[in-house]
Amino acid sequence: MQKTWAVALRIALVCLGANGAVQAEEAAPDLANLRYSPLKEITTENVSRLTPVWTFSTGVLRGHEGAPLVVGGVIYVHTPFPNIVYALDLDHDGKILWKYEPRQDAGVVPLMCCDTISRGLAYGDGKIFLYQADTTLVALDAKTGAPVWSVKNGDPAKGATGTSAPALIKDKVLVGVSGGEFGFRGYLTAYDVKTGAKLWRAYSVGPDADTLIDPEKTTELGKPVGKESSLASWQGDQWKIGGGAPWGRISYDAAENLIYYGTGNPSTWNPTQRPGDNKWSMAIFARDVDTGVARWVYQMTPHDEWDYDGVNEMILTDASGGRKVLTHFDRNGFAYVLDRADGDLISADKYDPAVNWASRIDMDKSSKSYGRPIVDGAYSTQQNGEETVTHGVCPSTVGAKNANPAAYSALTGLFYAPMIRLCMDYEPFQITYAAGQPYTGADTAVYPEKGETNMGALIGWDAASKRVVWSDPEPFAVASGVLATAGGLVFYGTLEGYLKAVDARSGKELYRFKTPSGIIGDVTSFERNGRQYIAVLSGAGGWSGVGLTAGLTHSDEGANSPGVYAALANYTALGGQLTVFALK
């Protein structure tokens, strides 16, 4: 099922799907997570003529993340809980072909950390794959919407929920699990695409037998990780409730037969309660897709003290000289570039100059701290202690960039990253674990970076020169997925609800349109009957818009992002809608 870019270019219908993947007539996914469309009817010269051609209301409030999925003449749309799936006819202005609404216990809603979102669907083998909030993975007949098979991937009673988009790779459907804020021990699972049978499961933390780590063959920074590397980095049985949930996107290199993904925060947020590096939370894993065995792993934020989940997407490109690399814009504010075959760390640089929790990543291979962040004690919540507020930590727990994906264009050689310009106060405290109950152990307060009136930006990043080439400020965090196109454009959405198009080389804004609600969805492009379309889901929510979804419309209501984003109520309202654009 894997297609090269040359093949993908020859297929009549191309679209960027929910997993940052190109979907087409034959569903050839962009598993490199480039989020680049080869379509070029819409250009820098004519994008000003872009106009909505039809819309569709999902009938669901809360945050609409991910992207619609296009296969043939059908566009598949998903919603937040209750996770409705619609199949719409592209040739008849979105006529509803079928609707699937799962029956779920609404008791799962309070367990969902950051709104009731779903990050999208996957397609393959004639099936649409939906990962429900209650961790049910269901395969639907793409033509009729009838369920073919379903499996349960976790136990909500213990805090497990499903928010990520499934990834279809070879004969497998891969899904992670959310629940790190409830002390749920995270894992990635591979299921058979035809039957739903479980093929393998790899935990993020715990014994080698659970993490599918070979102590001699699995490496970190070129050296074997050693026997029981995860257990040795936890105190006692803390690993059993250690978090490390992999709820982000998954990439795949067919030549290496490796998948790449990141793991989330260790539990609890109070670092004093979990001495050690807490491996392998906050890490990038490279695993054999057929066996799940890890070839290499790299921990970005050992003994996390700030909730910098490492789940952001891995973008696979070829660097100068043809070296196969992985680029990762982490929540901690550093952009990492690694050799994706062996995990060699090539570079690690701040992509937000305001980052202060660490001065740098040690790149001296002869140093004992090689590959580790050099933490500034003034911003160490561990060193400052429990029930002590650490002020002015940048970035905030939301990250310098969250899980909404960046894009890469081979035309410019630039990455386009959606930014969050927020800092925080952080106060850890003792907490007792109880299954199914929040297990955070910290209070946070979030606010704009010092001297900044804007809380977000879209940046053009040059990985070769390790610098921001241009930056477009935004009043609120940029929480949508970015799309680059062969027309020389970069598309993204804003929390106020604007779809914007900018020049890929300069960042100059060329187009904007106000949709009915804030955009946290991923912009997508597809072709039908010789015409290029742009599509995006509106629907304010997610972590960045949780204040609006929770009804916190005054700045003194709530902590963290609710207070920061209270002003959103002056610009947008809740509501889910698909908007499809084309040239006049």
Side-chain angles (χ1 to χ4, degrees):
M1 297 184 65
Q2 307 310 315
K3 306 290 183 183
T4 65
W5 274 107
V7 174
L9 282 165
R10 290 196 298 269
I11 298 175
L13 176 63
V14 180
C15 149
L16 279 155
N19 193 40
V22 171
Q23 300 291 337
E25 247 356 304
E26 300 177 36
D30 168 29
L31 292 170
N33 271 322
L34 300 175
R35 291 201 52 78
Y36 173 82
S37 170
L39 300 176
K40 54 185 178 182
E41 177 192 0
I42 302 169
T43 69
T44 54
E45 287 75 27
N46 63 25
V47 69
S48 61
R49 300 188 358 243
L50 202 63
T51 188
V53 290
W54 60 272
T55 62
F56 176 78
S57 173
T58 68
V60 179
L61 303 181
R62 310 296 291 250
H64 284 59
E65 287 198 26
L69 180 65
V70 176
V71 182
V74 181
I75 186 167
Y76 299 91
V77 178
H78 67 287
T79 77
F81 184 90
N83 304 133
I84 301 170
V85 179
Y86 293 96
L88 309 178
D89 189 337
L90 282 174
D91 295 329
H92 295 86
D93 294 331
K95 175 185 177 182
I96 300 174
L97 298 175
W98 55 258
K99 172 185 176 182
Y100 174 77
E101 183 169 0
R103 299 179 64 181
Q104 299 182 76
D105 186 343
V108 73
V109 171
L111 300 175
M112 303 185 77
C113 156
C114 316
D115 205 2
T116 61
I117 58 90
S118 166
R119 294 184 174 88
L121 308 167
Y123 169 82
D125 194 42
K127 305 179 184 73
I128 295 294
F129 295 93
L130 166 70
Y131 190 30
Q132 299 172 186
D134 65 0
T135 77
T136 300
L137 175 65
V138 59
L140 306 172
D141 185 290
K143 292 183 178 180
T144 67
V148 179
W149 56 257
S150 66
V151 294
K152 201 67 176 292
N153 192 52
D155 185 356
K158 296 180 180 178
T161 54
T163 60
S164 55
L168 186 75
I169 300 173
K170 298 177 73 172
D171 59 346
K172 300 170 182 65
V173 183
L174 300 163
V175 286
V177 68
S178 300
E181 278 64 51
F182 289 80
F184 190 83
R185 184 165 66 120
Y187 48 74
L188 185 76
T189 309
Y191 294 97
D192 183 273
V193 70
K194 293 189 178 298
T195 67
K198 186 170 76 173
L199 302 176
W200 55 260
R201 172 169 288 171
Y203 284 84
S204 303
V205 305
D208 289 345
D210 288 359
T211 58
L212 302 188
I213 283 177
D214 185 315
E216 298 302 323
K217 295 181 179 179
T218 303
T219 63
E220 183 182 31
L221 300 176
K223 298 179 180 180
V225 297
K227 187 176 181 180
E228 302 298 0
S229 56
S230 178
L231 293 185
S233 68
W234 293 85
Q235 187 176 74
D237 288 340
Q238 182 74 24
W239 62 270
K240 293 182 178 180
I241 50 173
W247 50 268
R249 288 164 168 81
I250 300 168
S251 303
Y252 175 61
D253 182 332
E256 297 291 336
N257 202 40
L258 293 177
I259 56 169
Y260 308 89
Y261 66 96
T263 62
N265 63 281
S267 300
T268 122
W269 286 12
N270 179 0
T272 303
Q273 287 187 250
R274 43 174 174 77
D277 278 354
N278 311 133
K279 298 179 184 296
W280 293 99
S281 64
M282 305 308 214
I284 298 172
F285 270 102
R287 295 186 182 275
D288 184 288
V289 71
D290 294 323
T291 65
V293 174
R295 179 185 294 183
W296 59 262
V297 60
Y298 168 60
Q299 189 176 38
M300 296 166 290
T301 312
H303 187 64
D304 172 70
E305 307 172 37
W306 311 271
D307 185 38
Y308 292 150
D309 284 49
V311 301
N312 291 358
E313 73 287 349
M314 315 296 161
I315 305 172
L316 311 185
T317 63
D318 291 342
S320 58
R323 191 174 189 183
K324 299 168 62 176
V325 300
L326 171 159
T327 300
H328 169 78
F329 294 90
D330 197 63
R331 263 167 67 165
N332 69 17
F334 287 86
Y336 296 85
V337 180
L338 298 98
D339 186 300
R340 63 180 186 262
D342 59 16
D344 180 40
L345 181 61
I346 299 169
S347 64
D349 301 278
K350 294 180 182 180
Y351 61 95
D352 182 354
V355 171
N356 62 15
W357 69 275
S359 60
R360 60 187 173 87
I361 306 300
D362 188 347
M363 295 300 294
D364 182 357
K365 290 189 176 183
S366 64
S367 170
K368 291 183 179 180
S369 60
Y370 170 53
R372 298 176 68 94
I374 306 303
V375 176
D376 187 329
Y379 304 107
S380 168
T381 67
Q382 168 80 43
Q383 295 181 41
N384 293 335
E386 295 177 328
E387 299 186 10
T388 299
V389 179
T390 299
H391 296 278
V393 183
C394 304
S396 74
T397 59
V398 190
K401 173 192 172 302
N402 210 269
N404 43 304
Y408 173 79
S409 171
L411 290 178
T412 64
L414 298 181
F415 294 85
Y416 305 97
M419 294 284 293
I420 304 172
R421 294 279 171 79
L422 294 173
C423 301
M424 68 177 171
D425 297 338
Y426 193 108
E427 181 183 8
F429 56 81
Q430 284 283 325
I431 188 170
T432 301
Y433 172 78
Q437 298 299 313
Y439 188 54
T440 50
D443 284 331
T444 62
V446 173
Y447 42 83
E449 294 173 358
K450 187 175 181 179
E452 284 286 342
T453 56
N454 294 300
M455 292 182 280
L458 178 73
I459 64 169
W461 171 263
D462 188 328
S465 61
K466 306 174 185 179
R467 66 186 181 94
V468 175
V469 177
W470 53 258
S471 178
D472 292 342
E474 290 289 347
F476 297 101
V478 180
S480 79
V482 182
L483 171 71
T485 76
L489 295 165
V490 176
F491 291 89
Y492 68 103
T494 74
L495 281 177
E496 310 102 296
Y498 287 106
L499 171 72
K500 292 188 176 184
V502 303
D503 186 293
R505 297 189 182 278
S506 68
K508 180 182 178 181
E509 183 179 311
L510 302 175
Y511 175 81
R512 66 164 61 189
F513 179 85
K514 184 75 177 292
T515 65
S517 185
I519 298 175
I520 63 170
D522 304 340
V523 186
T524 187
S525 185
F526 63 92
E527 183 179 277
R528 186 66 179 166
N529 298 326
R531 193 179 190 190
Q532 182 183 358
Y533 295 88
I534 301 293
V536 70
L537 285 167
S538 299
W543 195 331
S544 299
V546 70
L548 192 65
T549 59
L552 305 179
T553 57
H554 297 88
S555 61
D556 58 349
E557 291 183 314
N560 210 335
S561 49
V564 170
Y565 293 115
L568 265 181
N570 297 324
Y571 297 92
T572 192
L574 300 180
Q577 176 173 300
L578 172 70
T579 307
V580 180
F581 300 80
L583 295 177
K584 289 182 181 178

